[in-house]
Amino acid sequence: GGGHEVDFVAVEGIRPTPINVCYSTKVPVRETDGLIDFCNEYRKTHASLLYLGKTHQKELDGVTVSHVNLEEWLLGKANILQL
């Protein structure tokens, strides 16, 4: 990779999903760069980002990044894994 990191890797069966957590409504580029690097290295097409903004999906460099509101996830209203 390019020296970027991910905060967590969730594994469902044999499928790893990289997850970053950002305590902000605005996502710094380093957060998505780490997810994209992981996906490129492990041939994944989906990653998740927990943050304080609105839940939505965004396509970045061929990777679908689920931007998930942290509060919704903590309350069980949003899922971070691509199943």
Side-chain angles (χ1 to χ4, degrees):
H4 299 107
E5 65 176 29
V6 297
D7 295 328
F8 302 97
V9 177
V11 179
E12 179 73 27
I14 60 169
R15 295 178 292 199
T17 298
I19 301 165
N20 272 352
V21 181
C22 178
Y23 195 73
S24 175
T25 56
K26 301 220 188 282
V27 178
V29 172
R30 71 174 184 274
E31 298 291 347
T32 53
D33 281 353
L35 295 172
I36 292 166
D37 285 353
F38 181 98
C39 288
N40 288 337
E41 186 168 337
Y42 293 96
R43 290 182 256 161
K44 299 293 299 168
T45 57
H46 184 268
S48 294
L49 176 75
L50 289 168
Y51 79 128
L52 301 180
K54 294 186 180 197
T55 297
H56 68 281
Q57 289 194 338
K58 192 176 215 177
E59 187 81 17
L60 299 168
D61 295 333
V63 176
T64 301
V65 179
S66 293
H67 291 65
V68 180
N69 178 271
L70 181 60
E71 183 178 348
E72 289 177 10
W73 178 73
L74 289 170
L75 294 173
K77 297 178 180 179
N79 191 357
I80 57 172
L81 297 179
Q82 178 74 13
L83 302 176

